[in-house]
DNA sequence: TCCTTAAGTTTTGTATATAAAACAATTTAA
DNA sequence: TTAAATTGTTTTATATACAAAACTTAAGGA
């Protein structure tokens, strides 16, 4: 994984002066373990991080004694510890937008009978902050905390609205565009086109996206200075939608709900 | 908060040799900000952490550039950044407890015909990790990812079992006890009483809790060292329960299911 | 207005965290 | 079974992270 090394180098070269390397590396160890699909050894961690075994040893030692990492009985394999949990949920608890949006999402769910969601942009990913489950078709295939690539999701395109072309290019410079469906843009130029279309239209409808038989209607939420700060959507299996009423029913409801949330964030049309 | 300092000292004295102080302090900055109910300045962070302003500056600089902290427009106030979210949810995804508990929760649902749930403690909140819907009485009013205040829920009291009185007081020191029903403790003393009762009894029955016409039967799940790590419950509208069979039927089933899950986590009575 | 205090930033000498190397303990291969 | 390779741990010389002090800017108070 040369990516890990590159990111490390990049951070070091750019912000050398005040950087605390031990901290940076420790947090990246947590993410490396989070992304790995199995517990890792010290040697593996060191290799992925691009540091010596002795340094990896000291970092894991610190994290383990603090409760951010746990080990198996032999102290050979490191996995995430319970102390990391507090951080993620503390973040969620402070996002006022969740509390503000909640009743509107519930209203939208009740009107459309489809699960509704709230998401923001976190780096190159769409991050789901809340989901309100449909009462009729029980399930949503998205849960709070889940992430999707920005480039490959309609919510992501809306969230990039208002971003300059050069900023978009900078953000996706070294990203491989994997084709997740026929709608996935294959390169940056196609992505920029999608972003501009979504921006102009003010909503996105997607059918058969990311997985078979799922559909999405999504619209942007603006803050007091008119920037896109979040998106809401209704989504679920195709069986939950009446496709004849897409433009006349679902879209207006989603767009209007997004606008109401925006107004509660201080947005004035 | 002298606690922060003490913990720091302790860690240093005990494990001096291989400790990475920058990492330890950075993570504690994240937790300090997570626990604070407002964004903090560099000076405040330094004070709470017990380090100089210049060190606090370097730590926040590092965390901010990595996306673990965000700042307001003036770069004066620091709050948690979106990157922390990934860590918490990665932990949840790996917690075998959800997979281990699932079949037992389903069995409990089938026997009792009431929706069953799994929850853990996350800070001052009860966090629902899984719900298994009743097939007869329509819905559960709880969904995965939802949170309830620890002090106001029977599950929360059980989850606080084994916690010392002083730790309980510290945790709820600055919490306002809102009365959510006639069963809600009105202050810390009443809460401690509830916790001890729940701990002694080994389960909690609650009728008309949190909302009209809802009941709960809940019991604790223990890990291999006998600590409470989770709770399970059955809950739903009163219409789903046969109240004559509370003690003879529902309670034994819930308690026994909790014990089976505990055994699968390594607990030995 | 000027003075005082406080907070953020930068510089710098020094205490110390770090990576390499050595060592110990496993695991793998022949 | 023995040798070679790999991994975890300890030591240690040195590169560097740290706290203090200096500097800069902003906020209050008289």
């Amino acid at each position: 994984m040369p990516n890990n090394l590159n990111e490390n180098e990049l951070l070091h070269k750019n912000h050398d002066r005040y950087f605390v390397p031990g901290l940076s590396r420790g947090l990246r160890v947590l993410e490396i373990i989070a992304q790995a699909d199995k517990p890792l050894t010290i040697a593996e961690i060191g290799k992925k991080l691009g540091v010596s075994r002795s340094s990896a040893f000291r970092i894991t030692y610190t994290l383990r004694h603090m409760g951010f990492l746990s080990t198996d009985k032999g102290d050979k394999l490191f996995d995430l510890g319970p102390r990391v949990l507090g951080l993620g949920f503390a973040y969620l608890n402070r996002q006022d937008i969740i509390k503000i949006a909640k009743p509107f999402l519930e209203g939208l769910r009740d009107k459309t009978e489809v699960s509704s969601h709230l998401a923001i942009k976190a780096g190159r990913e769409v991050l789901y902050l809340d989901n309100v489950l449909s009462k009729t078709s029980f399930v949503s295939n998205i849960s709070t905390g889940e992430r999707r690539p920005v480039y490959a999701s309609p919510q992501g395109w809306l969230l990039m609205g208002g971003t300059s072309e050069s900023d978009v290019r900078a953000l996706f410079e070294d990203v491989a565009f994997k084709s997740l469906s026929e709608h996935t843009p294959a390169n940056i130029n196609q992505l920029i086109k999608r972003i501009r279309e979504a921006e102009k239209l003010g909503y996105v409808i997607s059918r058969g996206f990311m997985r078979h038989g799922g559909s999405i209607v999504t619209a942007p939420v603006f803050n007091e200075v008119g920037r896109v700060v979040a998106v809401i959507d209704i989504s679920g299996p195709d069986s939950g939608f009446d496709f004849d009423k897409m433009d006349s029913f679902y879209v207006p409801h989603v767009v209007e709900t997004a606008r109401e949330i925006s107004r509660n964030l201080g947005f004035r049309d």
Side-chain angles (χ1 to χ4, degrees), chain A:
Chain A
M1 290 263 161
N3 269 353
N4 290 325
L5 248 165
N6 288 341
E7 190 193 345
N8 198 24
E9 306 278 15
L10 196 70
L11 281 168
H12 262 281
K13 298 301 175 206
N14 288 348
H15 327 283
D16 225 16
R17 266 200 313 187
Y18 302 124
F19 227 65
V20 181
L23 174 55
S24 164
R25 295 193 290 199
L27 285 165
R28 291 192 42 242
V29 165
L30 290 179
E31 291 186 325
I32 285 169
I33 294 176
Q35 280 158 30
D37 49 355
K38 61 181 174 62
L40 300 175
T41 65
I42 284 179
E44 287 169 330
I45 292 166
K47 201 166 287 173
K48 279 178 189 279
L49 188 61
V51 302
S52 63
R53 270 177 301 143
S54 56
S55 292
F57 174 78
R58 301 175 80 253
I59 292 166
T60 55
Y61 179 94
T62 305
L63 291 170
R64 184 161 67 90
H65 279 272
M66 293 185 78
F68 289 99
L69 287 182
S70 62
T71 57
D72 65 345
K73 291 154 207 162
D75 283 359
K76 296 283 186 190
L77 293 169
F78 289 80
D79 206 342
L80 293 177
R83 202 164 167 183
V84 296
L85 243 194
L87 299 178
F89 285 102
Y91 174 78
L92 282 186
N93 285 339
R94 317 180 149 241
Q95 297 312 109
D96 290 342
I97 194 171
I98 297 176
K99 289 161 202 150
I100 291 170
K102 189 84 166 188
F104 296 104
L105 290 174
E106 286 172 347
L108 183 61
R109 184 265 321 264
D110 292 341
K111 281 174 209 143
T112 62
E113 299 188 329
V114 183
S115 296
S116 62
H117 309 88
L118 174 73
I120 60 171
K121 193 175 86 66
R124 295 168 186 160
E125 294 180 308
V126 176
L127 172 67
Y128 288 91
L129 295 186
D130 203 5
N131 65 340
V132 176
L133 290 177
S134 163
K135 284 172 174 166
T136 54
S137 72
F138 325 95
V139 266
S140 154
N141 44 16
I142 292 166
S143 62
T144 301
E146 264 192 55
R147 288 151 179 270
R148 300 279 163 84
V150 161
Y151 74 86
S153 88
Q155 293 95 328
W157 307 337
L158 284 171
L159 284 165
M160 294 299 292
T163 311
S164 73
E165 184 172 328
S166 60
D167 284 351
V168 176
R169 287 188 190 281
L171 189 62
F172 291 96
E173 203 168 30
D174 52 348
V175 171
F177 281 63
K178 282 191 290 187
S179 176
L180 301 173
S181 88
E182 71 218 66
H183 304 99
T184 314
N187 53 52
I188 292 192
N189 289 328
Q190 286 184 23
L191 172 60
I192 289 170
K193 200 171 151 226
R194 299 268 181 198
I195 293 172
R196 294 294 169 241
E197 285 169 2
E199 197 175 359
K200 194 175 169 193
L201 198 57
Y203 63 89
V204 179
I205 301 171
S206 178
R207 192 170 168 176
F209 205 86
M210 291 287 283
R211 60 183 68 206
H212 311 292
S215 290
I216 307 171
V217 179
T218 178
V221 173
F222 302 94
N223 70 0
E224 74 282 1
V225 295
R227 269 196 61 80
V228 180
V229 291
V231 289
I232 61 167
D233 72 67
I234 54 174
S235 66
D238 284 348
S239 57
F241 287 89
D242 178 349
F243 286 100
D244 292 337
K245 300 198 289 180
M246 262 306 177
D247 291 316
S248 63
F249 177 72
Y250 296 109
V251 167
H253 271 307
V254 173
V255 169
E256 181 49 37
T257 304
R259 197 167 289 154
E260 285 184 82
I261 297 170
S262 301
R263 277 195 278 267
N264 275 273
L265 294 175
F267 176 69
R268 302 273 132 225
D269 356 33

